[in-house]
Amino acid sequence: RAFGLTSRGRSVHLIRTLRPGRRRQAGLSIVELMVGVAIGLVITAAAALLMSGQLVENRRLLTETQVQQDLRAAADIMAREMRRVGASGEVASLGSIWYPGSPQVLRNDMANTFIVSSTQIDYNYFPGSSALPGPFKYQQQGTLLRAQLSANSGWQELTDANVMRITSFTPTITTDSSAAVVLPCPKLCADLTTDCWPRFQVRKARITIEAEALRDSTVKRAISSTVRLRNDHVTFADWSANEICPL
């Protein structure tokens, strides 16, 4: 383009040439800059929130796993021990089992020594060698589970107080009446029935433990374990007189 200007009677011609393909560039406005920063902050906050949620969930999962594993370990220890309730070294030599031709009636009284209260189990068994037959115990003491795994010894903690709190410990023992077997005798009872004949009973022990994580009370876990006692129980007509069958 050519422009004509007059200054003091003189004509000045200015020529401005615009080259094709090139335009004048302008910077970002303050509004555009603020919008970009806001979008960046939103994206950053969303990423941080997502990462924080993943870390919290991962920590919760680790806590749940630890509580579950500790409960399982405690339940397994108790289950292995309770299976041996009433076991005696004399069983191998038939010293505690009545059989035809036995000179006297002998009983394994240890089969009866299984005492269950609301928060404690007391039991006996003969581990062999020179070890004492018990008593052995499990109990809930405050927020801990404790065990006495050798006669006249101190208590040992089964659960870690730094990991979880025991909120409930419920031991029970049941007799499976459907599996009871009447052992026949040569004679009927005095009332001409078989009610006084000895009965073979299958017993089961069940423990239920509930706990919550120490640092997160929302993490709660419960575990139950049922075991059959290896030393089954036989009830007799008259324990005091050692009467197994009617005379």
Side-chain angles (χ1 to χ4, degrees), residues 71-72 74-76 78-79 82 114 116-121 138-140 144-145 159 164-174 204-211 221-227:
L71 281 180
R72 171 59 64 184
D76 287 346
M78 286 188 278
M82 285 190 296
F114 190 75
V116 175
S117 65
S118 58
T119 58
Q120 182 167 320
I121 300 174
Y138 291 108
Q139 71 169 201
Q140 179 185 352
L144 287 173
L145 278 182
T159 55
M164 62 183 177
R165 292 186 290 261
I166 301 299
T167 57
S168 176
F169 174 57
T170 308
T172 57
I173 182 169
T174 59
K204 295 180 180 180
R206 180 181 179 85
I207 55 173
T208 302
I209 310 172
E210 298 178 2
R221 285 294 180 269
I223 190 170
S224 295
S225 180
T226 303
V227 297

Side-chain angles (χ1 to χ4, degrees), residues 40-221:
L41 290 176
V42 170
I43 295 175
T44 303
L49 184 62
L50 179 63
M51 180 176 294
S52 176
Q54 290 292 333
L55 292 176
V56 171
E57 189 63 26
N58 183 62
R59 181 179 178 181
R60 180 184 175 86
L61 180 60
L62 291 176
T63 301
E64 292 176 352
T65 302
Q66 189 173 14
V67 171
Q68 186 71 22
Q69 288 178 344
D70 286 4
L71 281 180
R72 171 59 64 184
D76 287 346
I77 291 175
M78 286 188 278
R80 286 196 300 268
E81 282 289 299
M82 285 190 296
R83 286 192 183 99
R84 307 172 69 181
V85 169
S88 174
E90 296 181 356
V91 173
S93 61
L94 300 180
S96 296
I97 301 178
W98 176 87
Y99 56 93
S102 175
Q104 59 181 339
V105 177
L106 298 176
R107 306 172 310 195
N108 180 11
D109 290 338
M110 295 179 67
N112 254 346
T113 54
F114 190 75
I115 304 172
V116 175
S117 65
S118 58
T119 58
Q120 182 167 320
I121 300 174
D122 295 71
Y123 61 96
N124 290 348
Y125 71 86
F126 188 78
S129 66
S130 59
L132 297 176
F136 310 111
K137 302 177 182 180
Y138 291 108
Q139 71 169 201
Q140 179 185 352
Q141 179 67 30
T143 59
L144 287 173
L145 278 182
R146 305 193 306 171
Q148 192 176 40
L149 300 179
S150 60
N152 302 322
S153 68
W155 290 96
Q156 303 177 33
E157 295 181 357
L158 286 180
T159 55
D160 190 351
N162 297 319
V163 174
M164 62 183 177
R165 292 186 290 261
I166 301 299
T167 57
S168 176
F169 174 57
T170 308
T172 57
I173 182 169
T174 59
T175 301
D176 190 352
S177 58
S178 62
V181 178
V182 178
L183 304 179
C185 287
K187 296 181 180 181
L188 293 175
C189 306
D191 57 357
L192 301 180
T193 66
T194 61
D195 295 340
C196 65
W197 285 6
R199 282 170 169 75
F200 173 86
Q201 295 179 331
V202 175
R203 297 179 300 165
K204 295 180 180 180
R206 180 181 179 85
I207 55 173
T208 302
I209 310 172
E210 298 178 2
E212 64 182 23
L214 181 65
R215 294 177 177 83
D216 188 353
S217 59
T218 62
V219 177
K220 301 178 185 293
R221 285 294 180 269

